[in-house]
Amino acid sequence: MHGEYKVPGGKLVVVDLEVRDGKIADFHLAGDFFLEPDDALADIDAAVTGLPVETDASGIAAAVRAALPDDAHLLGFTPESVGTAVRRALVTAPGWSDFEWEVVHEKAVSPRMNLALDEVLTARVGDGRRKPTMRIWEWDTSAVIIGSFQSVRNEVDAEGAARHGFEIVRRISGGGAMLMAANSIVTYSLYVPASLVAGMTFADSYAFLDDWALQALRSLGVDAVYQPLNDIASPSGKIGGAAQKRLANGGVLHHATLSYDMDGQVMTEVLRIGREKLSDKGTTSAAKRVDPLRSQTGLPREAIIARFVETFTKLYAAEPGHITDEEYAEAEALVASKFATDAWLHRVP
């Protein structure tokens, strides 16, 4: 069995192994990482050999860590990445290049319609009716998009939202509220089969699915890094965040919202960002938590989006795609039955 895992921002971890009597056998680790001392590689191989095939990624990582000598130095990979590669080998997980990808960037639609399209397109990828897809959002009105499990009244100042022209909508993924002013945000969604992230922890899958975006940002001069669980940041501050939803049919939605431009004062008047949330961010000002791409690149929003599309296309041999009339119609029906209803918006009061 063969497994590979590209560490986001790091090196490629490659494993080969056999399974005998329910245990891992003949395990060998390889890759373009750095490891000192040299013979620590044999220690890792010995630590994984003999583990039960049911051992999860964290258990494999613990075995590797325990076997390493005190003076070991791992550069470009971690014991956790070895565990992920092993799990992917055991479930024969495919990589990006095993799929045909489409990139979709179409007309502006309402925030509710964007959310409905996310659900529709994820379900279609899960059912095998659509190729895995990366979609760039465009929308025609400003909105506060809250996470699936957030309380409307706890997260949003309704009067402030109305005063500044932000409608309030709820998405199907978890995570926090995003202030999405028209033409001031870069948002993309990935609709992928669950097999692409098989064998990964949820935390690993976030960084894995956003690694291409970090490469795009770095090509624009932004020193972008991933901060667990779901933040994209730079030395100047947070840029944005990601969220996921996994459907029962095997479709995975992963979307990320990055701030292009922002009005910090408006954000504090629309979102209720309490001191408790700020306390673990090392800052006392919500406005200082986000550093927009406009100030970091000096580029128009359209140029940043073009680089995102170019990077994804080159990395994964993606082709231009489009949303069909049938998919638009299905999303419109879902807006009416779900995303535009008070029952959905206030599912958590």
Side-chain angles (χ1 to χ4, degrees):
M1 295 180 178
H2 180 85
E4 297 185 0
Y5 176 58
K6 170 62 170 61
V7 179
K11 299 297 185 177
L12 180 66
V13 177
V14 181
V15 299
D16 289 284
L17 57 94
E18 301 291 338
V19 173
R20 298 194 192 102
D21 299 325
K23 294 183 178 181
I24 297 172
D26 295 335
F27 177 80
H28 296 285
L29 173 67
D32 59 356
F33 50 77
F34 299 91
L35 175 64
E36 294 292 344
D38 189 82
D39 55 9
L41 183 65
D43 294 329
I44 295 174
D45 288 351
V48 178
T49 297
L51 290 176
V53 293
E54 298 84 5
T55 308
D56 62 15
S58 61
I60 296 167
V64 170
R65 186 172 284 106
L68 289 169
D70 292 339
D71 60 345
H73 294 279
L74 286 66
L75 300 177
F77 79 117
T78 63
E80 286 72 19
S81 63
V82 176
T84 297
V86 172
R87 292 309 314 168
R88 288 176 65 77
L90 290 169
V91 299
T92 60
W96 292 92
S97 61
D98 293 309
F99 298 99
E100 294 181 3
W101 293 91
E102 288 189 354
V103 174
V104 172
H105 185 199
E106 295 199 342
K107 64 183 181 181
V109 295
S110 71
R112 289 170 177 166
M113 188 66 171
N114 272 304
L115 297 175
L117 283 170
D118 267 1
E119 184 167 343
V120 167
L121 300 182
T122 303
R124 285 179 172 247
V125 169
D127 289 339
R129 292 181 290 159
R130 161 175 277 277
K131 294 178 181 178
T133 302
M134 189 275 280
R135 179 175 74 95
I136 299 288
W137 288 31
E138 295 292 352
W139 60 100
D140 50 16
T141 57
S142 298
V144 179
I145 299 184
I146 64 173
S148 180
F149 310 107
Q150 289 190 296
S151 161
V152 177
R153 65 188 177 198
N154 288 345
E155 300 296 332
V156 185
D157 184 321
E159 292 183 0
R163 183 169 65 254
H164 290 289
F166 285 82
E167 67 173 302
I168 306 169
V169 294
R170 183 186 296 277
R171 63 180 184 267
I172 63 173
S173 61
M178 303 298 296
L179 192 74
M180 301 182 65
N183 300 314
S184 295
I185 295 291
V186 175
T187 296
Y188 61 84
S189 292
L190 291 172
Y191 315 112
V192 307
S195 59
L196 179 62
V197 293
M200 295 185 191
T201 64
F202 270 83
D204 282 343
S205 72
Y206 272 84
F208 177 78
L209 291 174
D210 279 333
D211 188 52
W212 68 273
L214 268 63
Q215 293 184 54
L217 290 171
R218 290 168 187 155
S219 75
L220 294 170
V222 179
D223 187 13
V225 296
Y226 213 86
Q227 294 183 342
L229 171 65
N230 61 335
D231 284 351
I232 296 174
S234 76
S236 300
K238 177 178 174 179
I239 298 171
Q244 280 186 20
K245 177 66 177 181
R246 303 191 178 199
L247 303 185
N249 73 347
V252 175
L253 164 64
H254 178 96
H255 45 198
T257 294
L258 312 179
S259 178
Y260 171 72
D261 200 2
M262 67 169 290
D263 185 324
Q265 185 59 40
V266 170
M267 183 169 73
T268 60
E269 293 177 12
V270 175
L271 299 182
R272 300 186 189 277
I273 305 177
R275 283 178 290 182
E276 180 67 20
K277 185 167 185 177
L278 291 173
S279 66
D280 71 341
K281 305 295 183 181
T283 181
T284 57
S285 169
K288 293 179 181 178
R289 286 189 57 215
V290 180
D291 193 62
L293 292 174
R294 181 177 182 179
S295 66
Q296 293 205 43
T297 66
L299 295 172
R301 176 176 175 271
E302 294 75 16
I304 293 173
I305 289 174
R307 181 60 57 86
F308 271 54
V309 170
E310 176 188 4
T311 300
F312 191 91
T313 298
K314 287 184 175 179
L315 284 173
Y316 309 129
E319 298 289 338
H322 69 282
I323 300 171
T324 67
D325 291 341
E326 182 182 11
E327 289 168 336
Y328 274 122
E330 187 176 345
E332 287 172 355
L334 194 57
V335 168
S337 66
K338 180 175 181 177
F339 290 101
T341 67
D342 283 341
W344 172 251
L345 178 60
H346 297 284
R347 67 185 294 256
V348 180

